[in-house]
Amino acid sequence: MIRVAVRRARVASAVALVALAAVPAVSSAETADEFVARLNRQFADLALEWNAAGWAQATYINVDTQLLNARATERWLAAFSKAVEEAKAFEGQPMSPASKRSIELLKLGVAAPAPDDAAKRAELATLLAGMEARYGSAKYCPQGPGSCRDEVQLKSVLEKSRNYDELLDAWKGWHDAARPLRADYERYVTLANEGARTLGYGDLGAMWRSGYDMPADAFTKEAARLYSQVEPLYKELHCYARGRLAKTYGADKVPAGKPIPAHLLGNMWAQQWDAVYELLEPYPGVSPLDVDSALVAQGYDAVKMTKSAEAFYQSIAFPALPQTFWERSMLTQPRDRDVQCHASAWEMNGKDDVRIKMCIRPTYEELRTIYHELGHVYYYLWYRDQPFLFKNGAHDGFHEAVGDTVNLSMTPAYLAQIGLVPRSTPSREALINQQMKMALEKIAFLPFGKLIDEWRWKVFSGQVTPASYNAAWWALREKYQGVAPPVTRTEADFDPGAKYHVPGNVPYTRYFLSFIVQFQFQKELCEAAGFKGPLYECSIYGNEAAGRKFGAMLAKGASQPWQDTLFELAGTREMDGSAILEYFAPLRGWLKEQNKGQQCGW
C-alpha cells in the first residue's frame, strides 16, 4: 500500500545508491563478460557501507548520520560514474546476453546520476542526504517548540478529525513545512539533469522512463494508455465521494461540479480515501469490518502484526523470515530521536539481512502496510541468488505489486479465518461496502500515482520552470485527481516537497504500475489456485500451488525484460487494467446508479 508514503523508498538495488570504493580501471585483457562479473562481485561486497549509512540516517537522524550517508553516497556516485564510463569500452564487443543486459541496467542504476565534476558530485550527494533528513525531521510548531507535531501526528489528524478547520490547520502546517526544500530541490534538478546528460539522456525524466525495457516516449504513451483504462471508474468514485462529503461539510465548502478540497479525504495528500470510509459507506452498519478494534482487543502489537503477515507468506510456501529480521528491523517509533517513519523495506547485504523500517500502530491500515512491506522483503529473498546487477524487480512496479497482490487476498473471509472479523453470510449490501472500502484505497490512488512523476518529468525537461513549480503541481492535481488546495497557495510554497518521494528522490510511477499489475497477478494466481468464483472473493491464503508460481516469477529478479517475466506468469507481455474493472464491476454498476442526476466532473 502506499499510504506510506513510501510504500518504500529504498527498494534494494537496481544498483541503488550503494557506497563503493573506487572501481579498478579496466584491464586491456578483460572481456565484457569478465568486466560484468567483476562489477557484480565488487558491488555485492561494497554495497554494505552505503546500506549501513542509509539505515543509520533513516533510523537515527542527526548531523553525524547525515554526514556519513552523504559521504557514502558521494563515493558511490563517483564509482558509478567510473563504472559506466568503463562500460563504454565494451560497446560493440562480443558478450553474453546477460552481460549486455547488466551493462544496460548499470547505466540506469541510480535515480540521480551525478555530473562528472567531483565538486558537483559532492554537492549532489549532500543535497540528497540533506533533503531526506529535512523531510524526516520536519515539524509544525504553531505556538513554539512545545506545540510541535511531526508528520505521523499530523497525518493522524487528517485521518481521524472531521472538523473542517482542524483538518485545514494540520494540512496547511505540514505543507508549509516543505517550503525550505524548494531551493535545494531546484539545485538538485540542475545537477541530476547534468548527470543524466553525461549518460546520454536528454534529462533525468527521460532516463527514468527508459528503465522499462522500451523507449522513453513509448513508455509515456503506455502510462497514458493504462490510465485511460481505469479513469472512468475513478471519475464515478470522485462524483459519489464529493456528494457525500458535501452532506458532511456543506455544499458551500464542497460544491458540485468543482474539485474537492484536498484536506477532506482522510489523507495528507488525498492519495487514498479509506480513512473517511465512514462518511462514504454505502450501507451503514452492514457487515462492518472493524479490524482496528479487533487488533486492539486481541493485543496486536508491532511484532504480532508482523508475525501475522509472515504467516500468510509461509502459508503459500514462502520461507520463514531470518532471525536477523526480528533483531534488526525498526518496527516502532523510538521516543528518543528523530527517525523516518515512512514504511520501507531494506536489503542490506544481498543475502539474508532484510529489514523493515516502520512506526507500526495497531490499525488495519498499518496491518495491510506490513503485509505489503513483506512483499518487498520476500522479493529480496527470492532473487538473492541472482548476480548483484539483477537483484531487483522485473520493473520497479513489480516490486511494489508483490505485497499489494497479497493485500488483495486479505478478503473478509480471510480476516474471519484469522479471527479479526466475525464470520458472516455475504450480501449484496456487504459486497458494495467491501468494494467501496477497497476502491477508496486502490482506485482513489491511481491518478495520484500517475501525476507525481508527470510533474517531475515536466520539471526535468524544463517544461515546468522553478517560477511555476507550485502552480504546475496543483494544475496536475486538479486535472487528474479533481482536488484543489483548501487555501490559496503561491510560488512561496513548495507543496510537492510535502510528499516524501519528491525530496527523497524516489520515482513514483512504480506505484501507479503496481496498482495495475497487482490485479493481473491476482487473477493469474487465483487461476493457479483453482479458484472458480468472482475475482473479488479470491484469497490465495494457504495455496502452495499459487505460491510456487508466484515465487518462480520473483526469483527471476531483473535478469530478463519484464515482458518475458510477465508472460511466464500471465501468458501476456502487456500490462492491462482490465482485471481492475473485473474486480470492481459490482461497485461500478452501483456507482453509476447513485450518480444519476448528479453534476459529475470538475
Side-chain angles (χ1 to χ4, degrees):
M1 306 181 36
I2 298 283
R3 12 182 119 256
V4 216
V6 92
R7 278 161 247 166
R8 278 121 266 351
R10 299 183 185 264
V11 292
S13 37
V15 196
L17 293 173
V18 279
L20 301 176
V23 177
V26 174
S27 165
S28 59
E30 193 173 38
T31 67
D33 290 344
E34 290 168 343
F35 169 70
V36 169
R38 174 168 61 80
L39 285 185
N40 275 314
R41 292 192 302 270
Q42 291 169 343
F43 286 8
D45 181 55
L46 296 169
L48 299 173
E49 180 189 0
W50 181 84
N51 290 330
W55 177 264
Q57 179 180 326
T59 60
Y60 205 125
I61 299 172
N62 61 33
V63 295
D64 299 319
T65 57
Q66 184 177 337
L67 173 64
L68 293 172
N69 194 29
R71 291 291 174 83
T73 300
E74 181 183 347
R75 283 191 291 276
W76 157 242
L77 291 173
F80 166 78
S81 298
K82 183 180 177 69
V84 170
E85 185 63 30
E86 290 175 347
K88 294 177 182 178
F90 300 102
E91 291 180 2
Q93 292 193 17
M95 65 183 77
S96 68
S99 291
K100 181 179 180 180
R101 180 165 179 80
S102 296
I103 290 175
E104 291 172 351
L105 293 175
L106 173 68
K107 189 176 178 181
L108 294 164
V110 292
D116 287 336
D117 180 84
K120 290 181 178 179
R121 194 161 52 235
E123 183 184 3
L124 178 60
T126 300
L127 282 171
L128 292 170
M131 287 193 295
E132 192 166 349
R134 279 190 179 187
Y135 186 96
S137 59
K139 293 179 175 65
Y140 170 47
C141 307
Q143 280 89 42
S147 66
C148 292
R149 288 178 290 174
D150 62 16
E151 181 188 9
V152 172
Q153 294 166 315
L154 293 169
K155 281 173 58 182
S156 182
V157 174
L158 270 290
E159 293 165 2
K160 297 177 181 178
S161 175
R162 300 298 174 254
N163 180 288
Y164 188 94
D165 292 334
E166 190 172 72
L167 292 168
L168 178 59
D169 177 69
W171 185 94
K172 186 175 182 298
W174 181 250
H175 282 75
D176 288 354
R179 287 173 178 168
L181 291 165
R182 177 186 264 267
D184 283 353
Y185 192 81
E186 182 179 343
R187 180 61 178 160
Y188 144 81
V189 169
T190 298
L191 293 173
N193 266 343
E194 185 177 337
R197 286 191 288 270
T198 66
L199 299 179
Y201 300 98
D203 58 69
L204 185 58
M207 177 179 166
W208 285 5
R209 296 193 302 278
S210 297
Y212 293 97
D213 296 302
M214 63 176 67
D217 289 344
F219 179 74
T220 301
K221 294 176 182 177
E222 175 69 356
R225 179 189 68 82
L226 292 170
Y227 185 66
S228 71
Q229 288 186 284
V230 297
E231 184 181 28
L233 177 55
Y234 174 79
K235 287 185 172 181
E236 295 281 1
L237 182 66
H238 180 281
C239 186
Y240 169 80
R242 183 176 55 201
R244 294 298 292 266
L245 291 172
K247 292 180 179 180
T248 299
Y249 296 104
D252 58 325
K253 291 184 170 63
V254 191
K258 299 291 184 182
I260 299 172
H263 66 311
L264 300 181
L265 290 158
N267 179 277
M268 186 64 75
W269 309 278
Q271 69 181 59
Q272 289 165 308
W273 306 347
D274 47 314
V276 295
Y277 170 72
E278 81 278 6
L279 302 181
L280 309 178
E281 187 176 23
Y283 299 102
V286 176
S287 299
L289 299 178
D290 188 7
V291 179
D292 288 9
S293 296
L295 291 171
V296 173
Q298 296 179 34
Y300 273 78
D301 58 10
V303 172
K304 188 173 180 180
M305 290 169 72
T306 309
K307 288 283 188 181
S308 173
E310 180 191 32
F312 186 105
Y313 286 91
Q314 286 187 277
S315 83
I316 59 172
F318 283 29
L321 293 169
Q323 181 59 31
T324 53
F325 171 89
W326 302 103
E327 297 167 352
R328 300 172 186 176
S329 290
M330 187 191 86
L331 300 179
T332 58
Q333 184 172 13
R335 297 182 178 181
D336 61 340
R337 62 186 190 269
D338 286 330
V339 300
Q340 292 173 9
C341 277
H342 301 279
S344 57
W346 293 62
E347 177 198 34
M348 303 299 292
N349 67 354
K351 297 176 183 176
D352 56 2
D353 187 353
V354 289
R355 308 176 190 178
I356 281 177
K357 171 186 64 61
M358 186 174 171
C359 302
I360 298 173
R361 299 169 292 166
T363 68
Y364 183 43
E365 173 191 344
E366 304 267 296
L367 184 70
R368 291 173 62 82
T369 299
I370 298 164
Y371 278 60
H372 169 94
E373 293 301 332
L374 284 195
H376 290 298
V377 166
Y378 276 108
Y379 212 158
Y380 303 152
L381 293 174
W382 276 108
Y383 62 53
R384 63 183 172 181
D385 293 332
Q386 292 284 353
F388 185 86
L389 292 170
F390 291 161
K391 288 182 185 293
N392 204 12
H395 66 49
D396 52 11
F398 275 58
H399 229 302
E400 297 300 331
V402 176
D404 275 2
T405 301
V406 169
N407 283 164
L408 294 176
S409 283
M410 295 174 72
T411 61
Y414 166 74
L415 295 173
Q417 190 171 352
I418 63 173
L420 288 177
V421 299
R423 296 183 182 274
S424 62
T425 302
S427 66
R428 174 70 176 178
E429 291 78 9
L431 170 62
I432 297 302
N433 277 1
Q434 174 198 343
Q435 289 224 315
M436 176 62 72
K437 192 170 183 65
M438 180 73 78
L440 295 176
E441 175 197 336
K442 299 292 186 181
I443 304 305
F445 175 77
L446 291 167
F448 187 78
K450 175 78 165 61
L451 73 87
I452 285 192
D453 278 355
E454 186 164 329
W455 178 81
R456 286 192 282 195
W457 297 343
K458 293 176 184 291
V459 167
F460 296 143
S461 72
Q463 184 178 346
V464 169
T465 67
S468 59
Y469 274 177
N470 225 46
W473 171 256
W474 284 109
L476 285 173
R477 295 201 62 184
E478 179 172 336
K479 173 185 175 181
Y480 283 107
Q481 286 186 285
V483 303
V487 292
T488 301
R489 308 301 283 173
T490 72
E491 293 306 324
D493 301 305
F494 185 54
D495 294 331
K499 178 63 180 171
Y500 168 76
H501 301 72
V502 174
N505 190 47
V506 181
Y508 209 78
T509 301
R510 63 184 63 176
Y511 303 118
F512 169 71
L513 296 178
S514 80
F515 275 50
I516 299 292
V517 300
Q518 65 189 247
F519 287 88
Q520 272 188 284
F521 291 174
Q522 180 73 349
K523 184 176 176 65
E524 296 305 320
L525 294 175
C526 289
E527 290 183 5
F531 183 79
K532 300 301 183 184
L535 185 58
Y536 53 79
E537 289 184 356
C538 174
S539 176
I540 64 169
Y541 177 65
N543 193 286
E544 294 190 359
R548 285 191 292 270
K549 188 169 187 178
F550 207 11
M553 180 186 79
L554 304 182
K556 295 292 178 65
S559 63
Q560 61 187 18
W562 66 262
Q563 293 91 337
D564 295 341
T565 300
L566 180 61
F567 183 81
E568 292 173 12
L569 178 78
T572 178
R573 288 184 166 83
E574 187 173 78
M575 293 180 284
D576 182 25
S578 62
I580 295 179
L581 302 180
E582 176 184 344
Y583 187 98
F584 286 105
L587 179 66
R588 189 177 184 192
W590 184 87
L591 286 171
K592 287 182 177 180
E593 287 296 319
Q594 297 298 307
N595 290 335
K596 282 182 178 178
Q598 299 298 313
Q599 186 179 350
C600 294
W602 56 86

